[in-house]
Amino acid sequence: MRIGALFAGYGGLDLAVEEVFDATTAWVSEFDAAPSRILEQRFPDAPNHGDVTKIDWATVEPVDIITGGSPCQDLSHAGKRAGMKAGTRSGLWASMCDAIETIRPAFVVWENVRGALSAEADSAVEPCPICVGDGRGVSLRALGRVLGDLAELGYDACWAGLRAADVGAPHGRFRVFVLAWDATRPAGLEGNTAPTVAADLGHERPRAPRDRRTGPADRGREPVALLPTPAVNDMGASYDVERWDAWTARMKAAHGNGNGHGNSLHIEALRMLPTPQAADGSGGRRSSELGGTRPSGAKRAITLATALDHIDFGQYAPAIARWETVLGRPAPAPTEPTGKGGAHRLSPRFVEWMMGLPDGWVTDTDTSRNEQLKALGNGVVPQQASAALRHMLTLKGAS
Ligand SMILES: C[S@@+](CC[C@H](N)C(=O)[O-])C[C@H]1O[C@@H](n2cnc3c(N)ncnc32)[C@H](O)[C@@H]1O
């Protein structure tokens, strides 16, 4: 099967779709320069058609699966919640609809943030928020619009929400996934049988309330402390631990709600460094991962790289150990030296590991540290997407 990947980022969603459908990525559409360079290196045979709003879909190679995590800024709880509407970045879902309508793939895979369950949307059947309903509240949410648009195009769908922690990752990162298939084809032609699913199959079952920062306690496992999930917003990056804690304490005293944004991954990574020391040359790798190759030059560098083998991951140790077991490789050092006076900062290689990517998928590309952190903050954990897809294929098969 061939995949056309919209809003491709570093291709995390497509790694999962390739694996689950035994498919190949035929082409991508990504307009930002840094992720485009990552894609060029990681999917060298897939041409990049660039900006989705400028593509003539009739001229691109037909594919069996169209994927896309359309921009989430206007749906995310971290943003201004402008919604999935014409003119917003999240409104670019409309371009994905154009691609689906023209190419008519057998399957569509869509992914987005938790805010898709609640952010407002408009659509062709509801051109303004009060056109359906009694005018006193929101009538249409983003996920509802996506499912409605797909239905209008002749696609049945099911959907699922889960956290990266549900597949063992050391952070939460709830994401919604939709699997849709062309219901206008005779059964079997979309690569599976009986493409009909009851409308309520995708609903989440009610669960006991739980602390979102901990693991899946409701499955009888020991809850573990989870790290903040990687984000594009590099909150806390300009602080050291002491300044961050002092600022948070001041905010709590003044407003009663800490910093109002939750924890910072940068700061939590710094807390895991046993003792701030002089700069090393490990580039975010543990000394054991350097395969005995000593960083060139400085003796002090070798000393710290060795010390990094004894990182105390503190309250996050069980979550880190769990993901090490799932991935089958050790966590890289969480921080790297800034090169200024022994100071350290969050290591993109550690974030890449948190995101479940092959070592170097993003960090060994022709991109800067900031570009890497941005792409990683935007990306999909492939193992999480694979679990969601397998679950949804089961739902589809059961219908
Ligand atoms: C949420 S990220 C998708 C992440 C991706 N699924 C992954 O696993 O890495 C959305 C991506 O859409 C890209 N994007 C935004 N507007 C676009 C447009 N008009 N055309 C193509 N890509 C666009 C952004 O640069 C960003 O990389």
Side-chain angles (χ1 to χ4, degrees), residues 6-14 29-33 35 48 50-55 68-73 89 92 95 111-112 374-375 377-381:
L6 275 59
F7 314 107
Y10 60 57
L13 182 60
D14 304 292
S29 159
E30 170 58 61
F31 77 165
D32 202 17
N48 184 350
D51 189 339
V52 292
T53 63
K54 304 211 166 91
I55 299 172
S70 49
C72 62
Q73 294 95 327
R89 281 164 299 179
L92 288 174
S95 295
E111 165 273 326
N112 229 284
K374 182 178 173 198
N378 259 331
V380 166
V381 175

Side-chain angles (χ1 to χ4, degrees), residues 77-78 213 226-229 231 233-236 244-245 247-248 251-252 257-268 271 316:
H77 291 283
R213 289 164 304 166
L226 298 175
L227 280 156
T229 200
N233 166 2
D234 58 356
M235 180 179 61
W244 174 267
D245 286 346
W247 181 67
T248 302
M251 291 297 118
K252 265 192 187 148
N257 67 346
N259 55 51
H261 294 286
N263 282 339
S264 152
L265 180 56
H266 293 261
I267 297 298
E268 295 313 296
R271 287 191 209 283
Y316 303 114

Side-chain angles (χ1 to χ4, degrees), residues 57-246:
W57 298 109
T59 65
V60 305
E61 178 191 333
V63 286
D64 307 291
I65 311 170
I66 285 185
T67 66
S70 49
C72 62
Q73 294 95 327
D74 305 301
L75 311 183
S76 167
H77 291 283
K80 293 192 179 142
R81 308 274 283 159
M84 183 180 271
K85 299 180 180 173
T88 69
R89 281 164 299 179
S90 296
L92 288 174
W93 155 251
S95 295
M96 188 158 163
C97 284
D98 292 343
I100 297 164
E101 186 169 21
T102 306
I103 296 172
R104 293 215 66 86
F107 289 100
V108 175
V109 177
W110 183 78
E111 165 273 326
N112 229 284
V113 295
R114 183 191 286 276
L117 303 176
S118 55
E120 296 181 22
D122 59 16
S123 83
V125 293
E126 192 178 30
C128 69
I130 58 167
C131 294
V132 172
D134 61 10
R136 284 180 295 182
V138 180
S139 313
L140 189 63
R141 315 277 178 174
L143 177 61
R145 171 171 171 188
V146 167
L147 296 169
D149 287 350
L150 286 166
E152 200 172 48
L153 292 171
Y155 284 75
D156 277 346
C158 54
W159 58 101
L162 78 164
R163 301 168 315 146
D166 293 327
V167 296
H171 54 113
R173 204 174 193 83
F174 181 93
R175 289 291 181 268
V176 179
F177 296 87
V178 171
L179 172 69
W181 54 94
D182 185 354
T184 67
R185 297 181 184 216
L189 284 188
E190 88 293 25
N192 214 315
T193 53
T196 50
V197 163
D200 64 349
L201 275 178
H203 286 300
E204 286 191 339
R205 287 199 208 101
R207 286 187 194 149
R210 66 181 177 211
D211 184 336
R212 280 196 204 153
R213 289 164 304 166
T214 62
D218 55 343
R219 289 193 194 160
R221 281 188 241 153
E222 203 59 31
V224 297
L226 298 175
L227 280 156
T229 200
V232 172
N233 166 2
D234 58 356
M235 180 179 61
S238 57
Y239 287 75
D240 60 27
V241 175
E242 290 71 26
R243 275 185 57 227
W244 174 267
D245 286 346

